[in-house]
Amino acid sequence: MAQYEKYWLKVWNDKRIFESEAVPGRKKAFVTFPFPYMNGPLHIGHCFTATRVDIYARFKRMQGYNVLFPWAWHWTGESIPGMSYRLSLGDEGVRKAFLEIDGVPESEVERFVDPEYLASYYTRVSREAVKDTGFSVDWRREFRTVDPAFKKFIDWQYLRLRELGYVVQGTHPVVWCPHDESPTGDHDRMEGEGVSPEEFNLLKFEVEGGKKRWLVAGTLRPETIFGATNVWVHPEGKYVEANVDGEAWVVSQSAVTKLSEQLHDAKITDEFKGSDLVGLKVKAPITGKSLPVLPATFVDTEIVTGVVYSVPAHAPYDYMGLLDLQEGRAKAPPAAVLLAKELKPISLISIKGYSDIPAEDEVKKRGIKDSNDPKLEDATAELYKAEFHRGVMKENTDRFKGMKVSDAKEKVIEEMKRKNLLSIMQELPERVVCKCGTRCYVKILENQWFLNYSDPAWKELTKTVIRAANVYPEQSLEWYFSTIDWLRNWPCARKSGMGTKLPWDKEWIVETLSDSTIYMAFYTICQFVNGEKLQFGQLLPEVFDYLLMGKGSDAHVSKLSGIEMKVLKAMRNEFLYWYPVDMRNSAKELIPNHLTFYAFHHAALFEQKHWPRGFSVNGMIQIEGQKMSKSRNVFITWRHALEQYGADGLRATLALAADGMDDADWKAKNAEDISSKIDSLFPFIEKGLANSTEREKELSDRWLLSVVHGRIDVVTKSLEEMKIRKALSVALLDVWNDIRWYLRRAEKPRYETLKMVFETWIRLVAPFIPFTSEELNSKMGNKGLITTADWPSVVDFPLDEAAEVSELLVAKVIEDARNLLKIIKEQKKRLTIYVSSDVASEYFRELAKSEKGGSDRGEVIRKFASSGIKPERVIKLQYELGEELVRRISALGRFDEFAVLSSAAPFLSNEIGIEVRVFKAGDKKTEDPANKAKDALPFKPSFYLE
RNA sequence: GCGGGGGUCGCCAAGCCUGGUCAACGGCGUGGGGCUUAGGACCCCAUCCCUUAGGGGUUCGUGGGUUCGAAUCCCACCUCCCGCACCA
């Protein structure tokens, strides 16, 4: 970090220029960045997104807006306590990540077993990084989502949402960790990422003989019951008889827990080994066929009921299991082998491209030799998919024959349900292990609280929020709408973790994405809490009703809460002044959740005038072309980047990284280049001014001032639309190139021109690189702060079309001449330039006018017929120059090319490297030994090289 | 699979909505020159191919189509990225 960066930080801080108060009547801009989650240090991804916010904030401030940019910290949720817990268990991976990736000192990590400490540590270091980067934040409004006052705010929010019918109760299956007693989301898993519950069918096979009891088999393919030949159990597995909802079921021991977690009443009454079941006969549902129970080691007692029925014709596992038994590969009692030998696969589905026994085809194709071959997984998946989509039920399937398998499945389920032969169990198709190390299963959670995002009326209202807002970049708009359509009810509370309890049901804690939807409103008043103008306990729901909705009288609310009337009114004023948020910028990944939730909740709770006004997103950040990932150590903390490149280097690199929804690639090389480019501003400006002189304006000055007009315009418009990259690219690089041209072009740069342009330039780049701007400004001897200076105005830079077009001509002549010299390799020592005659220029202008539908082109051609200029050459020239340029040239009226080029002759000579002289075609004095003058056309002088 | 966004001259990346000004902005890289004791920084030139008079050829994921004319519009395909829920 440069020394001057520290200096300016202190100046800004001492002058409190980022502390913003409501000033009724003054235009305001309220900008926000979604508060970051404090389970780790901020990284350059945060920095990328947040830098864009600060740039916008600084831009608006310079435009004269009263700007509020607040900041807060997200602590809600289970991730922080989860990390502490794992550390306390001695998890080396977690510890290592703290030390090596996050860069936490050993002594601090010790204390991370306390989640509060962990979060406060990261909050502390992150706050320092944000501050040192020069973000123009009003820190008086800072909070954490576990602060008591914030919890009061969430209380209010959820009470009101519930009253309005947006919070509802429901029952839903979840992946459950019995240790944590909490749902286990994807990010909480050690194993089984992306696995979600699937609905299995439980088919009831009546055990023949003895008392009435059911052997219950799990399957995804109940329609294959017509091909069942036997039932499998694991011979070593633990099985039980249990009373399930009043019936005697035989299932694996682990199935009983799951059943009772899935709203069944289940109690174990007897226990035995799987081998004890082998040899029993059971009656298949619907078909009524009697099937033997046989042993198979591929059966997993942890999955569903630990009992499956066998369809060897269509299930590769079953097919191999049967062969294993018949061919003596499986360990099994002789009686079972005898039973197995009588069984033959029963084909029940016909499918093109397969034989009668598709399972056999799949097994042979893969060279599978026994039922423990892992290739059976693939075989099963492929066959299942093929049969489900393309298979047709055969003759032997009774009233289902001829149906597509997909249809038959539904019908079979219906029928079995009707006959009470089928039940349902939610199960995970793959092993899922919680980060705490416990194996998860599916639990049906009752009476969960949901945000009712399915509500069509709410969806519709939310769409109007989006429609009414500015949404940048425009390609993101569609994503919001499809998200709104796609969202279903969202479970908004959990049983564990940090956060706010549901006010009416203290068992539940408001979940992290659900407590961060309208908190921007809290920023408007949080400074009163922090400034101890009131106690958090005084923040009754009625207080927020008054502050945010204007309900109730100040006198009444003041009396009720004990908050001073004066304070209460001031808070209300702050809210009314600042709300809504004018621009909220985040990474695009938040569109399908946070940003859309944000829109939903505002639609639900706020009047239209307080709906969000601006949504903006940017892409994700990659590091040297790789996706950021802590586990692969592709990770750069904000602090680290800041130390390395300085605040402005970091800011500029990120600002130039990408626009729109494109992902940005962080490259160290790039950051170095940009940093040194910024550094070189100092000598560039210094030298420029030192070499300048006091003189009258000439063409080059008029040109530069006019061009800057255009630059200001583009930068301003780009910033308004959050096109940060485009804005900085123009503000820094294009203006730089403009000045370079000027320095080269002007014989001696004019001090006044340069000073004015430099001062404007410094302000133009100030939102992006504020430290450098302040430093440059003070180095130039100016007193005021750039941060609070006025945004450059185009008014100070008169457009000068003649000057701009003149320079275009000069540049074009240089380009043409160089091109020509390159082609003819022979050494030349003099270039003669012939500018077109007045007649030709006149002709050109008339023709251009006729293009726009003015006079008739034929008539123009006839008028100039005697001048000796071929019409097709002029027409072709117009095409070459382009519509826009022709328009600009014609608009100038008389444009004296000869004057421009003859005065530029010394410059041209310098640029080209040989002597240059300029003549006008048709002039008496013109020397034209090679007869080239006749070829001169407007804006396309002819050349003679010798 | 579903939803959203992309594929441009070595790399990054503008342009595309509103067709012609596009061999296609800008940055980086590379080559050459200047400055300098030298290096870096800085400044200038060049950087698809061919071309001894400013010209020509072939390009914008692939293949078709519309048009006098397409990187830009339409269709199909290939391919990459993001999101897909009880989780920040």
Side-chain angles (χ1 to χ4, degrees):
Chain A
M1 243 179 120
Q3 203 50 46
Y4 65 77
E5 292 190 344
K6 292 207 178 91
Y7 173 78
W8 291 109
L9 272 181
K10 187 168 181 321
V11 172
W12 296 332
N13 190 52
D14 291 349
K15 290 188 186 282
R16 306 174 145 216
I17 51 180
F18 306 132
E19 295 184 1
S20 315
E21 309 276 345
V23 182
R26 183 167 165 213
K27 60 184 180 179
K28 62 95 185 179
F30 182 17
V31 305
T32 61
F33 166 74
F35 47 32
Y37 190 63
M38 281 297 105
N39 63 343
L42 293 177
H43 52 71
I44 52 171
H46 292 114
C47 191
F48 174 49
T49 305
T51 295
R52 292 162 48 85
V53 179
D54 188 57
I55 288 166
Y56 187 78
R58 286 176 171 273
F59 161 63
K60 283 282 146 188
R61 192 173 291 111
M62 290 177 76
Q63 273 192 324
Y65 286 82
N66 191 10
V67 172
L68 174 59
F69 178 12
W71 197 284
W73 311 96
H74 206 190
W75 286 26
T76 310
E78 293 175 298
S79 177
I80 292 169
M83 291 170 96
S84 289
Y85 179 69
R86 265 173 282 144
L87 185 69
S88 74
L89 291 182
D91 185 327
E92 271 310 305
V94 180
R95 201 183 138 75
K96 234 178 114 179
F98 285 137
L99 290 168
E100 288 170 20
I101 307 216
D102 296 354
V104 182
E106 188 95 35
S107 58
E108 297 282 357
V109 172
E110 305 297 307
R111 304 178 62 182
F112 277 18
V113 291
D114 173 9
E116 295 264 341
Y117 188 81
L118 186 160
S120 65
Y121 172 84
Y122 283 128
T123 301
R124 192 166 73 238
V125 299
S126 295
R127 184 193 296 114
E128 290 312 309
V130 175
K131 282 187 172 173
D132 289 347
T133 310
F135 280 15
S136 53
V137 167
D138 182 353
W139 290 102
R140 299 171 308 156
R141 299 166 189 261
E142 181 189 13
F143 64 88
R144 289 141 298 270
T145 56
V146 297
D147 291 349
F150 185 75
K151 288 183 171 180
K152 289 287 180 187
F153 173 70
I154 299 299
D155 278 351
W156 170 81
Q157 179 185 355
Y158 275 82
L159 282 173
R160 294 300 171 257
L161 282 172
R162 191 181 177 210
E163 281 167 10
L164 292 164
Y166 293 117
V167 178
V168 297
Q169 240 177 344
T171 296
H172 201 75
V174 296
V175 178
W176 185 258
C177 169
H179 173 272
D180 290 353
E181 293 187 27
S182 151
T184 308
D186 251 6
H187 300 268
D188 298 330
R189 297 179 192 174
M190 212 152 74
E191 204 180 310
E193 212 175 307
V195 178
S196 53
E198 264 182 58
E199 197 175 275
F200 279 75
N201 301 287
L202 302 186
L203 269 52
K204 289 153 70 174
F205 293 72
E206 189 177 348
V207 179
E208 293 177 9
K211 66 166 187 172
K212 186 160 180 131
R213 51 185 192 156
W214 305 89
L215 186 59
V216 181
T219 182
L220 288 167
R221 308 183 59 184
E223 74 283 2
T224 59
I225 192 65
F226 297 98
T229 57
N230 61 286
V231 174
W232 300 115
V233 295
H234 196 295
E236 305 301 323
K238 285 186 185 170
Y239 288 85
V240 299
E241 189 181 311
N243 185 316
V244 178
D245 304 328
E247 293 174 349
W249 283 19
V250 174
V251 293
S252 69
Q253 190 184 42
S254 70
V256 177
T257 320
K258 287 182 257 183
L259 283 167
S260 45
E261 292 284 31
Q262 295 187 17
L263 311 184
H264 292 281
D265 177 27
K267 252 196 305 296
I268 294 174
T269 53
D270 195 6
E271 302 188 10
F272 32 78
K273 262 175 65 177
S275 52
D276 297 337
L277 298 166
V278 171
L280 287 178
K281 296 266 188 173
V282 295
K283 204 169 100 184
I286 299 192
T287 66
K289 253 197 248 169
S290 175
L291 310 175
V293 177
L294 295 175
T297 49
F298 60 81
V299 172
D300 185 344
T301 55
E302 294 293 321
I303 292 182
V304 202
T305 58
V307 179
V308 292
Y309 68 88
S310 174
V311 188
H314 299 280
Y317 267 112
D318 296 341
Y319 178 79
M320 282 317 296
L322 187 56
L323 280 190
D324 281 359
L325 272 180
Q326 290 173 340
E327 295 172 3
R329 276 190 300 274
K331 223 178 75 189
V337 177
L338 274 178
L339 281 169
K341 285 195 169 157
E342 288 169 24
L343 302 178
K344 278 204 315 246
I346 302 168
S347 180
L348 76 137
I349 292 167
S350 70
I351 172 167
K352 256 214 254 153
Y354 285 95
S355 71
D356 264 0
I357 318 289
E360 184 178 28
D361 302 346
E362 288 289 344
V363 161
K364 284 193 170 154
K365 194 168 85 189
R366 290 178 164 76
I368 293 168
K369 294 277 187 291
D370 63 63
S371 64
N372 295 312
D373 192 322
K375 289 196 288 286
L376 281 167
E377 284 297 332
D378 277 353
T380 303
E382 189 174 325
L383 185 55
Y384 179 21
K385 210 167 147 189
E387 290 188 339
F388 184 77
H389 291 108
R390 290 158 35 216
V392 175
M393 303 297 280
K394 283 189 174 176
E395 292 296 316
N396 58 353
T397 59
D398 214 342
R399 53 207 167 282
F400 304 102
K401 72 178 178 206
M403 278 188 198
K404 293 199 316 201
V405 169
S406 48
D407 296 336
K409 180 177 171 180
E410 296 309 313
K411 297 276 190 253
V412 168
I413 289 175
E414 260 173 47
E415 176 162 343
M416 288 186 179
K417 264 192 186 156
R418 214 167 43 236
K419 295 185 169 164
N420 191 26
L421 293 169
L422 179 138
S423 186
I424 297 294
M425 182 191 263
Q426 300 282 342
E427 181 60 292
L428 300 165
E430 286 171 53
R431 237 173 100 88
V432 173
V433 180
C434 178
K435 278 205 172 142
C436 78
T438 312
R439 176 139 184 197
C440 302
Y441 52 79
V442 180
K443 178 183 172 77
I444 294 182
L445 265 189
E446 280 184 287
N447 304 324
Q448 277 195 104
W449 294 100
F450 290 87
L451 283 161
N452 190 16
Y453 293 142
S454 309
D455 180 359
W458 197 8
K459 281 182 193 283
E460 216 24 70
L461 196 61
T462 304
K463 285 184 186 174
T464 62
V465 172
I466 300 291
R467 273 190 215 107
N470 295 313
V471 177
Y472 306 114
E474 55 180 321
Q475 303 97 288
S476 69
L477 186 60
E478 206 41 50
W479 200 353
Y480 290 94
F481 290 122
S482 39
T483 300
I484 293 169
D485 286 332
W486 162 87
L487 269 174
R488 304 190 306 259
N489 282 7
W490 182 269
C492 62
R494 294 169 62 86
K495 296 246 172 166
S496 59
M498 299 191 194
T500 308
K501 291 180 170 138
L502 277 182
W504 63 87
D505 189 350
K506 304 285 188 186
E507 295 267 286
W508 296 92
I509 295 164
V510 179
E511 166 278 336
T512 68
L513 279 170
S514 303
D515 81 346
S516 51
T517 57
I518 58 162
Y519 70 88
M520 314 80 207
F522 192 69
Y523 283 131
T524 65
I525 54 136
C526 188
Q527 73 281 22
F528 292 92
V529 179
N530 293 339
E532 297 180 348
K533 301 279 191 237
L534 55 101
Q535 300 301 309
F536 69 83
Q538 294 175 300
L539 289 169
L540 307 174
E542 290 80 1
V543 173
F544 289 109
D545 281 343
Y546 166 75
L547 292 177
L548 309 181
M549 296 175 130
K551 281 190 194 157
S553 74
D554 41 15
H556 173 71
V557 173
S558 170
K559 200 171 150 204
L560 196 69
S561 63
I563 300 172
E564 272 180 72
M565 186 102 119
K566 189 179 78 191
V567 174
L568 208 54
K569 275 183 163 165
M571 289 169 90
R572 171 74 174 152
N573 282 341
E574 284 282 320
F575 172 75
L576 284 177
Y577 178 75
W578 291 114
Y579 229 61
V581 173
D582 295 284
M583 185 63 77
R584 183 164 182 78
N585 183 257
S586 101
K588 65 182 175 185
E589 57 178 353
L590 295 194
I591 293 177
N593 43 68
H594 168 70
L595 287 174
T596 302
F597 289 10
Y598 164 61
F600 264 101
H601 285 239
H602 278 83
L605 292 168
F606 289 97
E607 318 171 54
Q608 194 151 358
K609 67 173 182 180
H610 289 142
W611 286 356
R613 291 215 183 111
F615 293 75
S616 163
V617 296
N618 47 257
M620 325 281 287
I621 206 150
Q622 301 196 319
I623 296 173
E624 310 290 347
Q626 284 191 285
K627 207 190 274 186
M628 190 150 57
S629 152
K630 274 196 177 185
S631 58
R632 285 182 296 120
N633 204 1
V634 183
F635 187 82
I636 300 176
T637 64
W638 183 328
R639 182 88 242 171
H640 181 79
L642 183 61
E643 299 296 341
Q644 213 148 14
Y645 306 104
D648 281 347
L650 178 59
R651 295 171 65 109
T653 303
L654 290 170
L656 280 174
D659 256 348
M661 290 207 285
D662 296 338
D663 291 343
D665 193 6
W666 171 270
K667 291 186 179 143
K669 172 77 177 65
N670 214 232
E672 281 159 27
D673 289 339
I674 292 167
S675 302
S676 71
K677 205 175 267 290
I678 292 169
D679 290 340
S680 71
L681 280 170
F682 290 95
F684 182 76
I685 290 180
E686 202 178 332
K687 260 168 68 182
L689 287 175
N691 292 336
S692 65
T693 186
E694 305 272 355
R695 60 159 171 76
E696 289 299 300
K697 259 192 224 173
E698 56 180 43
L699 182 64
S700 59
D701 298 289
R702 283 164 47 207
W703 172 82
L704 181 61
L705 296 172
S706 177
V707 160
V708 167
H709 176 111
R711 301 303 187 198
I712 295 171
D713 197 40
V714 172
V715 173
T716 307
K717 286 186 175 129
S718 302
L719 282 171
E720 296 285 5
E721 295 176 13
M722 291 298 287
K723 291 180 181 167
I724 304 294
R725 178 196 144 90
K726 165 89 173 167
L728 179 54
S729 164
V730 173
L732 184 66
L733 305 173
D734 287 358
V735 173
W736 203 322
N737 286 337
D738 295 337
I739 299 172
R740 274 188 192 124
W741 171 263
Y742 169 78
L743 291 177
R744 209 148 39 99
R745 178 75 170 88
E747 220 166 310
K748 187 82 183 162
R750 177 172 171 266
Y751 178 79
E752 276 305 314
T753 301
L754 266 187
K755 185 160 193 296
M756 184 169 175
V757 170
F758 281 149
E759 280 175 353
T760 301
W761 193 22
I762 288 168
R763 282 184 286 148
L764 218 46
V765 295
F768 311 90
I769 49 172
F771 297 96
T772 306
S773 292
E774 294 286 9
E775 187 67 10
L776 285 167
N777 184 54
S778 97
K779 279 240 158 81
M780 283 177 74
N782 295 325
K783 285 284 177 281
L785 283 179
I786 282 291
T787 300
T788 49
D790 287 342
W791 184 247
S793 162
V794 292
V795 177
D796 301 328
F797 294 86
L799 270 183
D800 190 329
E801 271 292 290
E804 291 203 31
V805 171
S806 298
E807 289 307 286
L808 285 174
L809 176 64
V810 171
K812 185 172 185 304
V813 166
I814 293 173
E815 196 188 316
D816 282 357
R818 277 187 180 140
N819 192 17
L820 193 54
L821 282 166
K822 199 175 74 187
I823 293 165
I824 46 177
K825 283 152 189 160
E826 209 177 309
Q827 190 60 47
K828 300 287 187 182
K829 57 182 201 306
R830 188 164 72 176
L831 170 67
T832 307
I833 299 173
Y834 302 99
V835 174
S836 71
S837 66
D838 290 337
V839 181
S841 306
E842 180 73 9
Y843 185 10
F844 181 70
R845 271 198 303 279
E846 294 265 336
L847 207 56
K849 244 187 272 172
S850 82
E851 293 293 294
K852 289 192 296 188
S855 46
D856 175 56
R857 181 198 279 191
E859 200 173 304
V860 177
I861 293 173
R862 272 191 300 281
K863 182 172 160 194
F864 288 90
S866 59
S867 69
I869 304 159
K870 291 200 181 99
E872 59 270 24
R873 284 198 67 209
V874 183
I875 292 165
K876 188 168 170 243
L877 173 69
Q878 282 185 294
Y879 176 79
E880 269 175 38
L881 295 178
E883 203 182 315
E884 159 121 17
L885 184 55
V886 169
R887 206 204 70 236
R888 291 177 71 179
I889 298 166
S890 315
L892 286 176
R894 300 219 173 268
F895 171 55
D896 193 344
E897 284 185 48
F898 179 72
V900 169
L901 290 179
S902 23
S903 74
F907 174 65
L908 293 173
S909 175
N910 266 337
E911 291 290 309
I912 299 165
I914 57 175
E915 187 193 338
V916 171
R917 54 181 193 161
V918 182
F919 290 119
K920 187 168 184 174
D923 234 19
K924 284 186 217 101
K925 291 173 291 184
T926 296
E927 294 171 26
D928 188 13
N931 193 23
K932 294 282 185 186
K934 66 172 182 358
D935 295 332
L937 285 174
F939 232 75
K940 193 175 170 68
S942 59
F943 295 160
Y944 174 56
L945 277 167
E946 54 190 318

